[in-house]
């Protein structure tokens, strides 16, 4: 394969010791470019750090022999994690069980009744031991994603109706002592809490590892957790080549940040790959509308030999949704037509949402991250109808009210594997890294409301990036009518 002009420039930029940022648009051959860079200097020891295990395994089969391919977790496991391997094989552990093992009441002096905090809407929300423990475990997870050395209030997860600073302050008084005690337990070889892979990754980062390599190739750098980015940034003895697409940064909500921007601001040389080999000019043009809103200089060039078009699709290969609730809606409609449906990632998230709704309807509390801030189903309804942040829950509320949670739970049991499916349904987040011949965008990618004074519509950059990811999953036919509103508004990114 002969390199394009852009690829040739990227290869030429390697070897001078200066860090390199490679901004590679959707389908623009970043993997093949990295292989070319590795082949350009067989004497150099190179370490390719992949986004997940399957990508690392595929790379190991195709990269030249001077390149070692691994995930950050695999590197950390070999250094530290193997010492804790016996804890990784432990059974699943509920928050209730973890709270008992850690004796949460004694940690926070909770010996009479269940403490309550004031939610954002003024309603009091109970904080039993299991909920405090769940918050503590999620706080540890957020901290493990970060480069921070200490657990702090900023690592406490923000949930619907439990986001305001005053609310977080109340939660912190209950959660932080438990989170810090839990981390002490996780550091022990004979600890009692469930040990996870992110725990030894954090231990590895805190120890300041030095990687035995001449060059580090970091893939999917736009969605790299700070814990990994911090390790790569500290490898000053090696040339760092970080690759990705800043416009595809869609996991900021769970702690990921754009390592491309970090290295660029630190003085790294920047090269661009804009020639897409996945689709033709028509789909590239649709993607470029969103790249303009995102605010990046990158513009995609469609592959002239690819026959792609924008068109209405009645029977697409895949339907991409913005939210889990939107995916539930599409699955329910398809099952009602007796179609064979697969859901990317499986039906676990859908089932847990329905189970949480059922619990609230029955007067019980729930630990589900999207619904745990509410004491009743009526509160969820009110929040979804009246609050701007509640828009994501409106589809779920309607589905639960129309069908009942039991019907939704049953639907999860009717899903089939992707190789047997007539239709594949995915959230846009889970579609990242995937592609299909024909793709339809679901209507839960709604237009934002205009400002009542200026009439200006503000599209959050994270929403524009998600739309960009969604429209670039199609190879031949894209049905993006659900996004047609973007051409009819005066939009700015924020």
């Amino acid at each position: 394969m002969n390199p394009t002009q852009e690829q040739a420039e990227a290869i030429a930029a390697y070897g001078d010791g200066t860090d390199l940022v490679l901004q590679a648009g959707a389908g623009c051959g970043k993997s093949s470019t990295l292989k070319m860079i590795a082949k350009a200097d067989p004497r150099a020891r190179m370490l390719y750090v992949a986004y997940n295990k399957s990508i690392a395994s595929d790379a190991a089969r195709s990269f030249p022999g001077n390149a070692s391919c691994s995930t950050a977790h695999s590197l950390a496991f070999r250094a530290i994690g193997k010492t804790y391997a016996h804890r990784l094989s432990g059974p699943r552990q509920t928050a209730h069980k973890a709270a008992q093992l850690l004796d949460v009441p004694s940690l926070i002096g909770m010996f009479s009744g269940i403490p309550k905090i004031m939610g954002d809407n003024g309603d009091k929300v109970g904080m039993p031991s299991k909920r405090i423990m769940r918050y503590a475990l999620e706080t540890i997870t957020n901290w493990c994603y970060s480069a921070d050395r200490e657990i702090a209030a900023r690592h406490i997860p923000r949930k619907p109706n439990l986001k305001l600073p005053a609310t977080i302050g109340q939660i912190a008084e209950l959660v932080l002592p438990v989170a810090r005690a839990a981390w002490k337990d996780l550091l022990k070889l004979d600890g009692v809490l469930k040990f996870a892979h992110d725990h030894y990754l954090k231990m590895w980062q805190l120890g300041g590892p030095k990687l035995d390599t001449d060059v580090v190739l970091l893939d999917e750098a736009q969605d790299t957790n700070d814990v990994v980015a911090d390790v790569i940034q500290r490898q000053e003895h090696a040339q760092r080549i970080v690759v990705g697409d800043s416009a595809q940064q869609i996991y900021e909500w769970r702690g990921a940040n754009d390592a491309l921007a970090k290295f660029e601001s630190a003085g790294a040389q920047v090269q661009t790959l804009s020639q897409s080999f996945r689709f033709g000019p028509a789909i590239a043009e649709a993607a470029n509308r969103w790249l303009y809103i995102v605010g990046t200089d990158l513009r995609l060039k469609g592959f002239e030999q690819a026959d792609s078009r924008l068109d209405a699709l009645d029977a697409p290969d895949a339907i991409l949704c913005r939210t889990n609730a939107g995916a539930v809606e599409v699955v329910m409609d398809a099952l009602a037509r007796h179609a064979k449906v697969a859901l990317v990632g499986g039906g676990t998230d859908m089932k847990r949402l329905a189970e949480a709704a059922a619990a609230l309807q029955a007067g019980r509390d729930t630990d589900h991250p999207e619904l745990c801030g509410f004491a009743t189903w009526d509160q969820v309804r009110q929040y979804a109808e009246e609050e701007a942040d509640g828009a994501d829950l409106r589809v779920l509320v309607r589905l639960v009210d129309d069908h009942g949670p039991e019907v939704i739970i049953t639907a999860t049991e009717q899903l089939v594997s992707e190789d047997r499916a007539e239709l594949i349904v995915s959230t846009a987040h889970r579609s990242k890294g995937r592609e299909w011949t024909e793709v339809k965008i679901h209507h839960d990618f709604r237009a934002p409301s205009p400002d009542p004074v200026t009439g200006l519509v503000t599209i959050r950059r994270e929403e524009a990036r998600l739309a960009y990811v969604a429209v670039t999953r199609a190879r031949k036919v894209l049905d993006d009518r659900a996004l047609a509103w973007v051409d009819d508004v005066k939009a700015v990114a924020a």
Side-chain angles (χ1 to χ4, degrees):
M1 176 178 172
N2 294 323
T4 65
Q5 181 62 37
E6 290 175 327
Q7 288 175 321
E9 291 173 358
I11 296 167
Y14 157 75
D16 61 2
T18 303
D19 292 335
L20 174 64
V21 167
L22 192 55
Q23 288 277 4
C28 289
K30 64 180 175 64
S31 296
S32 59
T33 304
L34 289 177
K35 294 170 191 174
M36 292 177 189
I37 290 175
K39 290 177 181 177
D41 188 358
R43 297 169 299 176
R45 297 171 303 157
M46 299 195 182
L47 173 63
Y48 170 71
V49 182
Y51 186 70
N52 59 39
K53 188 174 181 179
S54 63
I55 294 174
S57 298
D58 289 343
R61 290 189 287 268
S62 57
F63 269 71
N66 61 315
S68 174
C69 303
S70 181
T71 64
H73 279 91
S74 293
L75 295 170
F77 183 82
R78 291 194 289 270
I80 291 177
K82 60 185 178 183
T83 307
Y84 291 86
H86 63 287
R87 292 193 62 183
L88 287 166
S89 59
R92 291 181 179 272
Q93 191 176 84
T94 65
H96 177 68
K97 180 63 175 178
Q100 290 179 322
L101 291 171
L102 211 60
D103 194 5
V104 167
S106 68
L107 289 172
I108 59 175
M110 188 176 75
F111 298 112
S112 59
I114 297 175
K116 294 185 178 181
I117 61 171
M118 191 72 71
D120 299 346
N121 62 1
D123 294 328
K124 289 188 176 181
V125 178
M127 293 290 287
S129 292
K130 67 176 182 179
R131 180 169 292 177
I132 294 171
M133 191 72 236
R134 172 57 56 201
Y135 257 102
L137 293 173
E138 291 184 29
T139 297
I140 289 174
T141 297
N142 291 340
W143 175 63
C144 285
Y145 290 157
S146 78
D148 299 336
R149 305 195 70 82
E150 302 292 339
I151 301 172
R154 62 181 169 273
H155 304 122
I156 293 174
R158 272 56 173 172
K159 302 180 184 296
N161 195 39
L162 299 172
K163 295 181 180 179
L164 293 179
T167 306
I168 293 297
Q170 298 173 67
I171 295 172
E173 292 182 8
L174 298 171
V175 168
L176 289 183
V178 179
R180 289 164 183 155
W183 181 248
K184 288 181 180 179
D185 175 89
L186 292 168
L187 288 172
K188 300 175 182 177
L189 293 177
D190 60 349
V192 296
L193 297 182
K194 175 63 177 172
F195 193 86
H197 294 279
D198 287 332
H199 299 148
Y200 65 73
L201 180 68
K202 184 63 178 179
M203 296 175 190
W204 181 61
Q205 175 255 339
L206 291 174
K210 181 177 180 179
L211 302 177
D212 186 21
T213 187
D214 301 316
V215 182
V216 179
L217 307 170
L218 176 64
D219 201 0
E220 294 290 346
Q222 80 282 348
D223 270 323
T224 298
N225 288 330
D226 282 350
V227 64
V228 175
D230 181 69
V231 171
I232 304 301
Q233 285 180 305
R234 293 178 184 275
Q235 308 308 308
E236 297 180 354
H237 64 284
Q239 182 180 16
R240 279 77 56 92
I241 301 177
V242 292
V243 187
D245 182 357
S246 291
Q248 291 191 59
Q249 183 197 3
I250 59 173
Y251 283 106
E252 190 174 10
W253 55 275
R254 72 176 191 191
N257 279 310
D258 187 2
L260 297 159
K262 292 176 187 282
F263 277 92
E264 185 174 347
S265 64
Q269 183 180 354
V270 180
Q271 296 285 344
T272 301
L273 300 179
S274 61
Q275 174 63 66
S276 182
F277 300 98
R278 179 179 297 159
F279 42 72
I283 295 177
E285 182 179 349
N288 287 336
R289 288 201 297 269
W290 291 100
L291 288 173
Y292 171 78
I293 295 173
V294 169
T296 179
D297 293 332
L298 175 69
R299 296 293 183 271
L300 299 183
K301 295 189 287 284
F303 193 44
E304 292 291 345
Q305 292 91 321
D307 178 22
S308 68
R309 69 185 191 275
L310 305 184
D311 205 351
L313 289 169
D314 294 325
D317 299 313
I319 295 179
L320 306 185
C321 308
R322 182 186 165 277
T323 64
N324 282 320
V328 173
E329 180 179 42
V330 175
V331 167
M332 296 283 290
D333 288 345
L335 290 175
R337 301 192 308 271
H338 306 290
K340 295 179 180 178
V341 188
L343 183 65
V344 174
T348 301
D349 289 343
M350 181 195 302
K351 187 174 183 180
R352 288 185 62 228
L353 267 173
E355 289 172 342
L360 290 175
Q361 286 183 333
R364 304 189 307 271
D365 65 355
T366 175
D367 285 338
H368 192 282
E370 293 188 53
L371 300 180
C372 70
F374 305 97
T376 67
W377 184 245
D378 283 339
Q379 288 182 4
V380 178
R381 282 199 191 99
Q382 183 177 4
Y383 182 83
E385 292 171 2
E386 299 178 1
E387 301 293 333
D389 287 345
D392 291 353
L393 294 175
R394 287 172 194 158
V395 173
L396 175 67
V397 169
R398 178 172 58 79
L399 286 168
V400 170
D401 286 347
D402 288 350
H403 301 284
E406 294 77 12
V407 173
I408 297 174
I409 293 170
T410 300
T412 67
E413 299 168 354
Q414 300 177 39
L415 296 169
V416 301
S417 60
E418 290 189 34
D419 60 345
R420 295 176 51 213
E422 298 168 341
L423 171 66
I424 295 174
V425 180
S426 177
T427 62
H429 283 95
R430 288 190 179 272
S431 75
K432 185 176 175 181
R434 303 287 301 273
E435 58 182 56
W436 294 273
T437 302
E438 297 182 350
V439 171
K440 183 175 183 177
I441 309 300
H442 187 49
H443 58 69
D444 65 341
F445 278 88
R446 292 178 296 273
S449 300
D451 184 276
V453 177
T454 65
L456 194 66
V457 174
T458 300
I459 303 175
R460 291 184 295 175
R461 278 194 174 85
E462 61 190 274
E463 299 292 342
R465 292 194 293 259
L466 195 61
Y468 165 66
V469 168
V471 301
T472 54
R473 300 307 98 192
R475 290 193 298 267
K476 289 190 176 181
V477 187
L478 170 67
D479 183 347
D480 66 344
R481 290 175 297 166
L483 295 168
W485 51 265
V486 74
D487 295 324
D488 300 327
V489 299
K490 184 178 179 181
V492 297

